[in-house]
Amino acid sequence: MITKRIGLYEASIVLFFLVVPIVGAVIEVNLFCSEENIFLALFKWYVFSGVGLRLFSAGLKQAISPSFTAKTLFNLDDENAFAIVRELGFANICFGIMGILSFFFPELRAAAAIAGGTFFGLAGFMHLFRKRESRDETFAFVSDLFIFIVLFVLGVLSYL
């Protein structure tokens, strides 16, 4: 059986969508005896890492090297498409900055979660209608819908 090794793209998704938010929230609640409930702590860390760090790093990659996203996720080899991917990168950088700042400014958290979560939800929904021709496309589809659902559920549970 031939398997593809886990690449930097997949590793970054796992890091930003699972490891950092779960470890951060558990440490915050247990080690630092935070008065926040676990759902609020998870929500804070998911917005910071899943929206902030993930979209900021993806945006940098798209702005600096748009060919990766164009070729890997959209199967586009036309260099004319790179300008559009670069602009997507600028938008992702902006969403990411908002998510990162929400860690330090809680009043930004709901807006960052709504903006970033909506982005991931729409991107995941878009993948439903595209034939996924690569493992990276399928991974993007699953991870986009995963973070959308997690943000939605934690947002609701945090503010009940």
Side-chain angles (χ1 to χ4, degrees), residues 1-2 13 26 52 55 57 74 100 147 154:
M1 179 173 169
I2 299 174
I13 299 291
V26 167
L55 289 180
S57 64
F74 299 112
I100 292 167
I147 194 66
L154 288 175

Side-chain angles (χ1 to χ4, degrees), residues 47-93:
V47 173
F48 170 70
S49 184
V51 173
L53 298 178
R54 172 67 190 127
L55 289 180
F56 185 78
S57 64
L60 285 177
K61 176 75 172 169
Q62 291 160 340
I64 294 167
S65 177
S67 62
F68 172 79
T69 300
K71 292 176 181 177
T72 304
L73 297 182
F74 299 112
N75 295 321
L76 298 172
D77 286 320
D78 185 354
E79 288 187 21
N80 292 320
F82 296 175
I84 296 168
V85 173
R86 185 170 280 123
E87 287 195 26
L88 170 65
F90 298 152
N92 281 338
I93 289 169

Side-chain angles (χ1 to χ4, degrees), residues 75-131:
N75 295 321
L76 298 172
D77 286 320
D78 185 354
E79 288 187 21
N80 292 320
F82 296 175
I84 296 168
V85 173
R86 185 170 280 123
E87 287 195 26
L88 170 65
F90 298 152
N92 281 338
I93 289 169
C94 295
F95 282 128
I97 289 170
M98 192 164 178
I100 292 167
L101 289 175
S102 77
F103 190 82
F104 306 101
F105 301 99
E107 61 272 14
L108 296 176
R109 194 163 299 136
I114 291 168
T118 301
F119 172 79
F120 282 117
L122 292 172
F125 187 70
M126 180 197 71
H127 287 291
L128 281 173
F129 300 102
R130 286 182 46 88
K131 181 181 177 197

Side-chain angles (χ1 to χ4, degrees), residues 17-35:
F17 286 177
L18 290 175
V19 177
V20 171
I22 292 171
V23 170
V26 167
I27 288 172
E28 181 176 332
V29 170
N30 293 318
L31 193 61
F32 294 111
C33 301
S34 171
E35 293 188 23

